[in-house]
Amino acid sequence: MIFIFGLHNDRSTIDVLNWIRKLEITSVLITDLKELQQHFCTIKNKKIKSIWYRQHNEIRFENFCITKNERSFLYFEYEYYLNFIQSSLKNIRTLGGGFDKMNLNKYQTLNEANNIGLLTPSTIITTCKKELKEFHYTFKKIITKPIFNGISIDLNNEYLGIMYTSIVEEELINSLPTTFFPSLFQEYIEKEIELRIFI
C-alpha cells in the first residue's frame, strides 16, 4: 500500500494516483485529520510500503468558540500529533521530507539554490507598484504565484477558484494601487520542455 499525504484538487497528486491505479497498486490519499485518524490502524500495523509527503491541509480552529490560549494549545497538540505519526513512519521508504518540509518557503528555497550555484529566475517579493513596474520593465514578461501554497476557493458552491501561476500584464500593473499586499513576482522563462526534479 502507498500512502499519499495530499489534496483532492491537486493536479499532480491526481496524475500520480491515476498512474498507481494503472499499475494496480493499492493507495490511500490522506487529505485531512479525519482521514489520517481513519487510517491510523494501517499505520500501526505497518502495512504501508511507501509514502509520498506531497501536501496537507493546515488544521483551522478559528471557527471554534474557544479562547486564544485554548486555540494555541490545540495547534501545539496537532503539531505534536503529526510529529508522532511521522516518527511512526520513519522506517518506511518516503518521497518528501515529512510534514515539516511540505510547506517550504519558495523564496528561501530559491536563495539556497542560488547559493549552491543553480540558475533560478529573478524573483522579487514586493508591496510597491514602482518596484514592480521597474521589475516588469527589466524583464518585459513576468509571472506571479502565491508566496506560500495556493488554495482553492469555493465560489457560491458552484465554481471552484484555483490559484495558479499567471502572467502579469502591464495593464494589471497600472491598475494597482501605490502599495498592495506582499506578492511574489518572477521573470518568465520560455521553456521547450519542463522537468520537475526532486533533489
Side-chain angles (χ1 to χ4, degrees):
M1 178 180 289
I2 298 174
F3 259 41
I4 299 175
F5 292 97
L7 304 177
H8 287 296
N9 54 14
D10 176 59
R11 184 75 251 161
S12 297
T13 303
I14 293 165
D15 288 345
V16 169
L17 282 167
N18 288 337
W19 185 252
I20 290 170
R21 286 187 191 112
K22 267 188 184 177
L23 297 173
E24 298 181 359
I25 298 169
T26 307
S27 62
V28 174
L29 174 62
I30 298 176
T31 63
D32 57 27
L33 181 60
K34 186 177 179 184
E35 288 173 358
L36 182 56
Q37 289 167 327
Q38 286 173 351
H39 293 285
F40 188 65
C41 288
T42 310
I43 292 169
K44 286 201 297 187
N45 293 334
K46 304 284 192 256
K47 294 176 183 173
I48 307 165
K49 299 277 187 224
S50 56
I51 302 158
W52 180 25
Y53 290 99
R54 167 70 178 157
Q55 292 173 312
H56 77 102
N57 279 320
E58 294 288 329
I59 197 160
R60 301 282 178 219
F61 298 109
E62 283 78 2
N63 296 331
F64 293 87
C65 295
I66 55 178
T67 67
K68 187 177 177 181
N69 282 346
E70 290 166 338
R71 189 175 297 125
S72 176
F73 169 76
L74 289 177
Y75 276 119
F76 279 116
E77 286 288 287
Y78 180 62
E79 185 181 329
Y80 279 87
Y81 175 64
L82 289 182
N83 289 341
F84 167 67
I85 294 292
Q86 191 171 309
S87 68
S88 302
L89 304 172
K90 68 182 177 184
N91 295 323
I92 297 171
R93 187 172 52 179
T94 65
L95 175 63
F99 296 113
D100 54 335
K101 302 288 189 292
M102 286 173 143
N103 299 318
L104 291 176
N105 183 312
K106 290 177 192 171
Y107 199 65
Q108 186 179 355
T109 304
L110 285 168
N111 283 336
E112 288 180 19
N114 269 323
N115 290 339
I116 61 168
L118 295 176
L119 298 177
T120 62
S122 292
T123 306
I124 60 167
I125 294 178
T126 186
T127 62
C128 176
K129 180 177 181 176
K130 183 174 183 289
E131 185 181 9
L132 177 56
K133 286 186 102 162
E134 289 168 0
F135 189 75
H136 182 259
Y137 179 79
T138 302
F139 297 103
K140 308 300 181 227
K141 199 168 185 182
I142 62 173
I143 59 171
T144 186
K145 60 176 76 171
I147 297 171
F148 183 55
N149 293 323
I151 60 168
S152 300
I153 302 168
D154 192 6
L155 305 170
N156 303 326
N157 294 322
E158 292 179 29
Y159 302 101
L160 193 65
I162 301 173
M163 294 180 182
Y164 54 88
T165 301
S166 55
I167 292 172
V168 179
E169 304 289 352
E170 189 173 6
E171 187 181 349
L172 173 66
I173 297 171
N174 290 334
S175 71
L176 292 171
T178 307
T179 59
F180 46 83
F181 193 80
S183 303
L184 185 148
F185 301 94
Q186 218 168 44
E187 72 171 302
Y188 178 79
I189 306 289
E190 289 285 353
K191 57 184 178 284
E192 292 180 19
I193 190 168
E194 181 174 339
L195 302 175
R196 297 199 172 211
I197 299 165
F198 297 85
I199 300 174

